[in-house]
Amino acid sequence: MRAQSSATASSGIAVGGPVTTVGGPSSGTLQAGLGVVAFSLTFPATAWGLEGFGPWTLIAVRSILAAVIAGGCLLALRVPLPERRHWFGIAVVGAGVVLGFPLLTTLALQTSTTAHAAVVVGLLPLTTALLSALRIGTRPSRTFWIAALAGAAAVLAFTVQQSGGALTSADAYLFGALLVCAAGYTEGGRLARVMPGWQVIGWALALCLPLTVPMAAVALSFEPVQLTAHSVTGLLWVAAGSQFLGLVVWYRGMAAIGIPKASQLQLAQPLLTLVWSVLLLGEHLTVAAPLTAAAVLVCIAVTQRARG
């Protein structure tokens, strides 16, 4: 197949040049916000999935199912292969978002509650903004950085308070997940400026198939599977919602409003996950949760208004 060289406005396929973002900043913020809502359900859905699938099986099968959905869209719309210069960035997205983050967080959730994992991963926005500054030279304002650091501090304080002042063994997985996911978000946001976001994650999922298919075959031969309503629903959500649809709107939003501002919307993700953990998993919140939520939302408002 030849490299990308044309654009189809009606399907949102833009290749060979900058993507014309649909809508303005408000539309971009909305799309990034929808991505955050989708991501906030990832940990509860993973916990459900682990009720019937082993961790390695869940990681591999979710990626394969998402790749089937994305591949079907790519084939149906006859999307040509990306230009060779984009494949490194797509590989980083695959390593960070398709494989690294799901692997590390799923392993962490075997010994950690979703609430604890959510607040640790709440440091992801600041990590993404830092990597964005290093990788593509973004220069947010001083006000932006002050608000971002304040939001991260609030999340970190909440994390330490929830864990009684001691970090758990799962935190090593979670901090590793922060780094690989931030790298994937940064590269994905950069690529979404020159190709539609759904194609970025679609090609990343396809690129990982040579790894995920053998992984699934081996995992299924060693890990028992128990199909229940919870396990199947959890698997389907992390595959279709978190791994594909959520990333589609997320990357579109990042391309519209910029990586640093979009990443700060994720400061709300831990609090949303806490709500889902109560409603779906029966976990209990402390009185610190609404206080942290208020502080985080203030920081989000400031970062969204701050000019780069």
Side-chain angles (χ1 to χ4, degrees), residues 126-294:
L126 180 59
T127 309
T128 302
L130 287 172
L131 288 185
S132 172
L134 294 173
R135 175 68 176 92
I136 61 178
T138 55
R139 292 293 182 268
S141 67
R142 180 179 299 180
T143 301
F144 176 96
W145 284 114
I146 291 174
L149 288 171
V155 169
L156 185 59
F158 184 80
T159 304
V160 173
Q161 188 272 335
Q162 288 288 295
S163 62
L167 298 179
T168 67
S169 59
D171 288 326
Y173 290 130
L174 294 172
F175 286 126
L178 285 175
L179 293 176
V180 297
C181 190
Y185 280 174
T186 299
E187 286 300 314
R190 183 181 66 83
L191 288 171
R193 296 176 177 178
V194 295
M195 68 174 70
W198 74 271
Q199 291 183 24
V200 174
I201 187 58
W203 289 118
L205 287 163
L207 188 64
C208 291
L209 279 175
L211 295 175
T212 55
V213 170
M215 183 191 300
V218 173
L220 285 168
S221 66
F222 286 97
E223 295 179 337
V225 173
Q226 183 178 0
L227 299 180
T228 65
H230 274 187
S231 64
V232 172
T233 300
L235 171 62
L236 292 177
W237 178 258
V238 294
S242 303
Q243 195 87 67
F244 183 63
L245 297 177
L247 285 167
V248 169
V249 292
W250 174 244
Y251 282 142
R252 285 174 62 89
M254 291 178 82
I257 64 176
I259 296 173
K261 285 191 174 184
S263 70
Q264 295 313 301
L265 290 174
Q266 278 199 302
L267 284 170
Q269 184 175 323
L271 288 309
L272 289 172
T273 299
L274 290 176
V275 173
W276 299 128
S277 70
V278 171
L279 296 177
L280 301 177
L281 303 176
E283 295 184 4
H284 299 284
L285 298 181
T286 66
V287 294
L291 296 178
T292 307

Side-chain angles (χ1 to χ4, degrees), residues 69-171:
I69 298 172
C73 294
L74 292 169
L75 288 173
L77 294 173
R78 298 181 180 180
V79 179
L81 287 170
E83 297 177 17
R84 182 176 299 179
R85 62 192 176 95
H86 296 321
W87 278 108
F88 173 77
I90 291 172
V92 173
V93 174
V97 177
V98 176
L99 295 177
F101 186 78
L103 170 64
L104 294 171
T105 54
T106 299
L107 293 175
L109 285 172
Q110 290 188 286
T111 57
S112 172
T113 64
T114 59
H116 181 82
V119 289
V120 173
V121 175
L123 296 175
L124 181 58
L126 180 59
T127 309
T128 302
L130 287 172
L131 288 185
S132 172
L134 294 173
R135 175 68 176 92
I136 61 178
T138 55
R139 292 293 182 268
S141 67
R142 180 179 299 180
T143 301
F144 176 96
W145 284 114
I146 291 174
L149 288 171
V155 169
L156 185 59
F158 184 80
T159 304
V160 173
Q161 188 272 335
Q162 288 288 295
S163 62
L167 298 179
T168 67
S169 59
D171 288 326

Side-chain angles (χ1 to χ4, degrees), residues 146-152 154 264 267 294-304:
I146 291 174
L149 288 171
Q264 295 313 301
L267 284 170
V296 165
L297 290 176
V298 168
C299 292
I300 290 175
V302 174
T303 58
Q304 294 307 297

